[in-house]
């Protein structure tokens, strides 16, 4: 606890200096048209426009001025734009985030009364391509039936089975996921299942889909995922996921009830490679299994239950992406690579885990990890009352 | 390993210190009573309403909302329950839509979509009620007594500890407990709480 308080001080001091720095700018010169619109159009408008996931548009002066204080709060909090991973050593593609200077500009603008300025200086809105950004997919499928979720209550995790009826193996280069009701679909992880097991579970459950978090299928594999605001991407250099013939697609979807009942029908577009790829890739998961199998046994009230794992790469690896996965009690997560020469690189840290954003991140280019590199991962769980996501009040032991 | 732990606690604490900042900003010189209880305003049906003048009602419960704030919307089911439970106990409950650009039609549609029909709803486009009560956020509840005193102001419950964080289990139902206390002529436990949500849009 002591330690935390200390850190808080550090954090507040940092904030304070950035404020002090920002007031040096003469505030009345800051206008929406010239200074704020470029930041908002670039960093917010992709989601904050009609038919996208965010609840309101931020596309003009009035949209932004009327929510000035709220916008300042969410950008100072680093709650918007949503971004949850960091690395000192590597850059992620599609990184979202405002610089200190941009936040300070917004702060000064809000505090100085939010002038509109000369509207002829307004930048053009970025061009957004709706629909299938990667062109017409090779295969489009939808959930067979709508799933109706309640207006309020805990978040829902549910798996939906979509038969693909493929009579030959395919190679997936990209998947585009289109939620039916954007305000309630938070993310979806994709799996394939060749065992028919998922179909059976679906049939056994009277409501469309079936429960259990994560994948819930034995013979199959992960083939990517989508999180709110995500845009589809081709795998690099002709890499592709194998999709065996006869597979069912499993959408493992996280919903966020919105205050009214909604019925979701998700649609998925596949982009296939013409030929099998010449190179293969694989995922390395640390710890390799979750939950009971990983020996997790978190006492009630423990606010920092920590589990570490490591793995030495037997071959040279080129890494291009990374993701993290934890449930309600996850708090922070990190992975480092100790290169054979002893140099330690931070692959990823998710400092303030928000379990609702299970995203995967693509590195900007490949990261070379020679054979002999040691990967270390650390996951910290918070099973105390202070963890808002704790499903148990008071906390209970979790195994 | 050390380094990571440090990172982790900084993340957590940043969120906490920001929460602190919101709280202090919100507590500046808010009125303890409605000064002019005669304020009157049209509801969305065009009927004149004076929400602070209570003929029979024990208290007036104003729920400040916006049609496009996810937090405000997430409370719709609880708002519907509050109306049916406390309306019959002699409380006057009103939805106050505070977006200056919202039309009566949009409000009616919103109420239908979120099963809030049956409420008296006001489009407070000039913020008359916002100013009279000092409401700052949606959703926020302000409960006034017949003499204009603000008996309770703040959150409906503790579902949202801060923006972007939703509690899995609600443990404090402050508005309900305030209304129950008024109903039973008892002292209210906590008369002021911090509402978490979207700041009321500017005029």
């Amino acid at each position: 606890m002591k330690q935390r308080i200390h850190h808080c001080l550090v954090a507040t001091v940092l904030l304070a200096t950035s404020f002090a720095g920002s007031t040096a700018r003469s505030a009345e010169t800051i206008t929406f048209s010239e200074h704020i619109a470029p930041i908002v159009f670039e960093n917010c408008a992709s989601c904050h426009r009609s038919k996208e996931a965010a609840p309101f548009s931020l596309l003009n002066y009035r949209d932004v001025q009327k929510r000035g204080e709220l916008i300042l709060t969410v950008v100072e909090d680093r709650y918007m734009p949503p971004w949850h991973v960091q690395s000192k050593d590597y850059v992620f593609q599609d990184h979202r985030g405002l610089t200190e200077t941009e936040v300070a500009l917004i702060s000064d603008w809000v505090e100085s009364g939010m002038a509109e300025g000369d509207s002829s200086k307004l930048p053009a809105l970025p061009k957004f391509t709706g629909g299938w950004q990667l062109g017409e997919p090779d295969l489009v499928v939808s959930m067979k039936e709508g799933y109706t979720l309640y207006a309020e209550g805990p978040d829902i995790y549910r798996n939906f089975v979509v038969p693909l009826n493929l009579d030959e193996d395919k190679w997936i280069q990209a998947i585009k996921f289109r939620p039916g009701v954007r305000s309630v679909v938070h993310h979806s992880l994709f799996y394939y299942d060749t065992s028919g097991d998922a179909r059976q579970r679906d049939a056994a459950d009277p409501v469309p889909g079936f429960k259990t978090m994560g994948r819930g299928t034995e013979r199959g594999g992960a083939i990517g995922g989508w999180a709110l605001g995500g845009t589809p991407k081709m795998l690099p250099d002709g890499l592709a996921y194998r999709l065996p013939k006869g597979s069912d697609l499993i959408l493992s979807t996280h919903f966020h009830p919105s205050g009214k009942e909604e019925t979701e029908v998700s649609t998925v577009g596949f982009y296939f490679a013409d030929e099998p790829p010449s190179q293969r890739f694989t995922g390395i998961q640390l710890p390799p299994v979750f939950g009971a199998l990983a020996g997790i046994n978190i006492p009630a009230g423990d606010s920092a239950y920590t589990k570490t794992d490591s793995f030495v790469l037997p071959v040279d690896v080129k890494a291009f992406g990374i993701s993290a996965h934890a449930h309600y009690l996850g708090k922070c997560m990190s992975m480092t690579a100790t290169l054979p020469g002893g140099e330690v690189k931070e692959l990823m840290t998710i400092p303030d885990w928000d379990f609702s954003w299970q995203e995967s991140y693509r590195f900007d280019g490949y990261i070379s990890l020679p054979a002999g590199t040691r990967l270390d991962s650390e996951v910290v769980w918070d099973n105390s009352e202070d963890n808002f996501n704790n499903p148990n009040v008071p906390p209970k032991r979790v195994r | 390993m050390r380094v990571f732990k440090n990172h982790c606690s900084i993340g957590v604490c940043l969120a906490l210190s920001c929460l602190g900042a919101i709280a202090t900003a919100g507590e500046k010189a808010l009125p303890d009573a409605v000064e002019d209880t005669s304020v009157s305003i049209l509801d969305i049906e065009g009927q004149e309403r004076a929400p602070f003048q209570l003929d029979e009602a024990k208290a007036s419960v104003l729920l400040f909302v916006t049609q496009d704030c996810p937090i405000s919307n997430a409370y719709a089911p609880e708002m519907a329950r509050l109306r049916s439970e406390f309306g019959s106990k002699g409380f006057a409950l009103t939805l106050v839509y505070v977006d200056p650009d919202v039309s009566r039609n949009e409000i009616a549609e919103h109420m239908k979509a979120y099963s809030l029909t049956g409420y008296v709803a006001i489009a407070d486009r000039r913020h008359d009620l916002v100013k009279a009560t000092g409401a700052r956020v949606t959703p926020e509840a302000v409960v006034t007594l017949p003499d204009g005193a603000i008996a309770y102001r703040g959150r409906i419950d503790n579902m949202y500890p801060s923006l972007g964080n939703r509690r899995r289990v609600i443990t404090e139902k402050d508005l309900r407990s305030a209304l129950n206390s008024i109903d039973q002529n008892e002292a209210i436990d906590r008369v002021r709480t911090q509402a978490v949500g979207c700041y009321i849009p500017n005029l």
Side-chain angles (χ1 to χ4, degrees), chain A residues 8 66 77 152 155 332 336, chain B residues 4 8 13 18 81 166 202:
Chain A
C8 286
K66 112 176 164 186
D77 259 0
E152 68 175 337
D155 286 14
C332 358
T336 57
Chain B
F4 298 136
C8 292
C13 289
C18 293
R81 282 188 297 268
R166 193 159 57 126
N202 297 312

Side-chain angles (χ1 to χ4, degrees), chain A residues 3-4 7-8 11-12 15 55-56 62 65-70 73-74 76-77 79 86 88 114 151-155 256-260 306 308 328 331-334 336 346 349 351-352 354-355 376 378 380 385 388-393, chain B residues 1-19 22 67-70 73-78 81 99-102 113-115 136 159-169 171 197-203:
Chain A
Q3 203 187 1
R4 265 208 202 172
H7 285 302
C8 286
T12 12
L15 281 176
F56 41 78
R62 179 65 173 150
Q65 171 268 343
K66 112 176 164 186
R67 304 184 176 89
E69 290 80 4
L70 180 61
T73 309
V74 299
E76 279 184 337
D77 259 0
Y79 166 44
Q86 60 191 50
K88 284 191 298 293
M114 299 185 271
E152 68 175 337
D155 286 14
H256 206 89
S258 66
K260 68 176 162 54
T306 304
T308 56
Y328 308 116
K331 177 169 156 188
C332 358
M333 230 165 284
S334 59
T336 57
E346 180 185 40
T349 297
D352 193 4
D354 175 349
F355 79 99
D376 285 290
E378 184 187 72
V380 181
E385 230 162 297
F388 313 128
N389 289 321
N390 202 330
N392 301 312
V393 177
Chain B
M1 279 303 108
R2 252 279 172 76
V3 184
F4 298 136
K5 285 205 186 114
N6 289 352
H7 271 303
C8 292
S9 25
I10 286 181
V12 171
C13 289
L14 261 179
L16 288 178
S17 58
C18 293
L19 199 70
I22 297 174
Q67 71 286 357
D68 58 8
C69 172
N73 284 334
Y75 274 99
E78 173 68 356
R81 282 188 297 268
D99 184 331
D101 304 324
V102 73
Y114 285 87
S115 306
R136 299 206 33 160
M159 175 155 64
Y160 287 88
S162 61
L163 287 179
N165 282 312
R166 193 159 57 126
R167 214 181 270 283
R168 290 261 301 167
V169 182
T171 55
C198 304
Y199 281 121
I200 290 179
N202 297 312
L203 290 177

Side-chain angles (χ1 to χ4, degrees), chain A residues 216-392:
Chain A
T217 161
E218 272 74 55
R219 259 179 296 149
I223 47 176
W226 172 90
L228 218 155
T231 43
K233 276 205 149 53
M234 292 285 180
L235 285 168
D237 297 329
L239 291 176
Y241 292 107
R242 191 171 82 97
L243 182 62
K245 69 177 176 196
S247 297
D248 288 332
L249 170 68
I250 318 297
L251 298 174
S252 184
T253 304
H254 169 198
F255 298 100
H256 206 89
S258 66
K260 68 176 162 54
E261 236 179 54
E262 296 283 8
T263 299
E264 167 64 13
V265 178
S266 320
T267 301
V268 173
F270 287 94
Y271 296 84
F272 296 130
D274 294 335
E275 290 166 24
S278 53
Q279 294 184 79
R280 296 290 174 90
F281 71 97
T282 183
I284 301 168
Q285 186 176 321
L286 287 178
V289 273
F290 270 97
L293 294 176
I296 292 167
N297 184 350
I298 315 175
D302 190 341
S303 65
Y305 179 84
T306 304
K307 191 109 193 149
T308 56
D309 199 3
S310 61
F311 178 72
V312 177
L313 296 175
V315 294
D316 289 354
V317 164
K318 288 196 295 178
F320 63 88
I322 195 159
S323 66
H325 195 78
H327 293 148
Y328 308 116
L329 300 179
K331 177 169 156 188
C332 358
M333 230 165 284
S334 59
M335 194 187 264
T336 57
T338 306
L339 305 181
E343 194 184 352
V344 180
K345 297 277 197 185
E346 180 185 40
L347 292 171
M348 127 180 126
T349 297
I350 299 183
D352 193 4
W353 177 258
D354 175 349
F355 79 99
S356 50
W357 295 92
Q358 317 242 359
E359 276 172 287
S360 44
Y361 303 91
R362 225 37 105 65
F363 291 115
D364 201 6
Y366 286 106
I367 292 173
S368 281
L369 302 172
T373 297
R374 194 181 76 236
L375 301 179
D376 285 290
S377 79
E378 184 187 72
V379 184
V380 181
W381 285 270
D382 180 354
N383 191 15
S384 73
E385 230 162 297
D386 296 341
N387 178 355
F388 313 128
N389 289 321
N390 202 330
N392 301 312

